[in-house]
Amino acid sequence: MAQPKNRHSMTGEQIRGENAVRFIVAFAAAFVCAVATAPFARAQNAVTMIVGYPPGGASDLMARVMQPELSAALGVQVVVKNSAGANGTVGALELARSRPDGNTILLAPGGSLVLSPHTRGAPFRQSDFAPVCQVSAALVVMMTQRDSGMRTLQDVITRARSNPGRLAYASTGPGGTPHISMISLERLDGIEMNHIPYRGSGEVMQAMAGGQVQLFTDQGNLVRQYGLHPIAVFSETRAAEFPDTPTMRELGHDLVFTIWSGLYAPVGTPTEVLDRLEAACLRMMTTPAVVEGLRRMDMPIQVRGRAEFAAFHSAEYERFGRLVQEFNLRIN
């Protein structure tokens, strides 16, 4: 058996050679370890939460409320990124093209994923997204400025009929839930209004303040946030948040819509990463900071775990497909 060399008797060249061998062995071991744990290492990087709407809108405000608590639940920094455009389509497409490693997620209202593809087409497929958890289900409310002269739905219909195609109403993008709710109303009442799309509710508020539009249908939390007057709610029964505001059904229009939102990851994200994201989301939604923050926004919390949310998402996609076909709601 060969005896180990006495380091004191080795030449400088031999010592350097031995050190090189040790370095190579250590490097190889570290490389193997890094490769074996790569998905877990990547999971510890900052997580980007995409919001498909500009700063100041409802989705952005929700993301800002959730950001600190989601960071705490995941144990990593969460960065909100506004990728606005095409009623959330730009942000959704960015997620679909992201690496499925848990480092990129999307906070999106359902309409941008399950409705827009039916009404105007979309550069993505439903199979591009992995639902993580639902976080809210907001009321859809028709609203106006308090000095607009329109207090009731009949006021809106009368003004629209007296000036066909002139009464301007805003939306946060063509083909979304608020826009489709208004098109449905037009079809049922035989009226024509002027649809003006904006990139987000923040821009709509600026336009309303400037007198460019007087009517807006969107998430109910915006009513109190911006001091607007609620005309009608697109719900089955009167909402506790708006006890004095009639529903569309009460007014003779069978129109029921909600704007639900949730977190998504790219398809192909490993199950263990999805489990981790789901657990963090569910934990986040129980924290006082998020519960109180959404309450201040008048944003109703509706939590569904990954399996239930995936089934709900699929059912909504099918429901809106039937609705668009029935009422011929496809738009350019």
Side-chain angles (χ1 to χ4, degrees):
M1 178 181 297
Q3 297 296 318
K5 294 180 181 180
N6 187 329
R7 190 170 178 85
H8 293 291
S9 65
M10 295 170 64
T11 65
E13 189 67 29
Q14 289 173 319
I15 292 174
R16 285 192 295 272
E18 184 177 71
N19 288 341
V21 171
R22 289 178 177 174
F23 174 80
I24 292 172
V25 171
F27 178 82
F31 178 79
V32 171
C33 180
V35 170
T37 61
F40 301 99
R42 283 198 300 268
Q44 298 305 308
N45 295 335
V47 171
T48 298
M49 178 162 54
I50 299 170
V51 175
Y53 298 87
S59 293
D60 177 70
L61 294 175
M62 284 177 60
R64 306 293 170 178
V65 168
M66 296 175 181
Q67 178 186 17
E69 297 303 324
L70 185 59
S71 294
L74 287 171
V76 297
Q77 182 182 10
V78 174
V79 179
V80 176
K81 179 183 180 184
N82 297 93
S83 297
N87 191 38
T89 298
V90 172
L93 185 59
E94 182 175 344
L95 180 78
R97 293 174 173 174
S98 298
R99 178 183 293 180
D101 57 7
N103 283 346
T104 307
I105 56 178
L106 172 72
L107 175 65
S112 62
L113 300 182
V114 302
L115 177 56
S116 293
H118 293 298
T119 57
R120 61 199 302 254
F124 52 75
R125 300 166 298 175
Q126 294 301 297
S127 58
D128 290 331
F129 308 102
V132 174
C133 76
Q134 183 181 342
V135 297
S136 68
L139 298 167
V140 176
V141 179
M142 180 189 291
M143 60 195 84
T144 186
Q145 299 130 304
R146 294 191 177 277
D147 60 354
S148 69
M150 294 181 289
R151 307 297 294 175
T152 67
L153 180 61
Q154 189 56 50
D155 291 338
V156 173
I157 294 172
T158 299
R159 187 172 297 189
R161 284 183 175 153
S162 63
N163 295 282
R166 298 290 300 276
L167 177 58
Y169 73 91
S171 82
T172 53
T177 303
H179 181 209
I180 293 304
S181 69
M182 293 297 287
I183 292 179
S184 301
L185 177 66
E186 288 180 284
R187 299 282 165 82
L188 286 176
D189 274 321
I191 58 177
E192 181 184 356
M193 294 183 279
N194 179 24
H195 172 233
I196 303 179
Y198 293 85
R199 294 197 308 162
S201 54
E203 290 188 1
V204 174
M205 292 304 110
Q206 294 177 8
M208 293 186 84
Q212 298 168 8
V213 292
Q214 292 184 312
L215 200 60
F216 183 37
T217 296
D218 209 278
Q219 302 187 50
N221 63 290
L222 299 171
V223 171
R224 289 189 177 87
Q225 184 180 341
Y226 291 101
L228 302 176
H229 169 68
I231 293 175
V233 182
F234 289 80
S235 60
E236 295 181 354
T237 59
R238 288 210 180 193
E241 296 90 338
F242 300 100
D244 299 323
T245 304
T247 68
M248 282 293 179
R249 277 190 173 177
E250 287 180 63
L251 299 172
H253 301 77
D254 191 15
L255 298 173
V256 177
F257 296 95
T258 59
I259 301 178
W260 49 267
S261 296
L263 288 178
Y264 294 83
V267 70
T269 301
T271 300
E272 61 271 18
V273 177
L274 289 174
D275 288 343
R276 177 170 168 267
L277 289 171
E278 178 190 21
C281 179
L282 296 178
R283 175 183 169 186
M284 168 191 73
M285 294 306 298
T286 64
T287 60
V290 169
V291 172
E292 177 60 21
L294 296 183
R295 187 196 66 77
R296 288 198 304 268
M297 288 180 60
D298 288 321
M299 181 65 68
I301 292 174
Q302 173 68 66
V303 178
R304 285 185 170 96
R306 185 152 57 92
E308 186 183 3
F309 184 36
F312 174 74
H313 175 105
S314 179
E316 285 287 272
Y317 180 77
E318 297 299 327
R319 181 175 78 89
F320 277 119
R322 293 191 298 270
L323 180 69
V324 169
Q325 185 173 14
E326 179 183 354
F327 286 94
N328 189 25
L329 299 178
R330 187 166 177 83
I331 60 176
N332 296 324

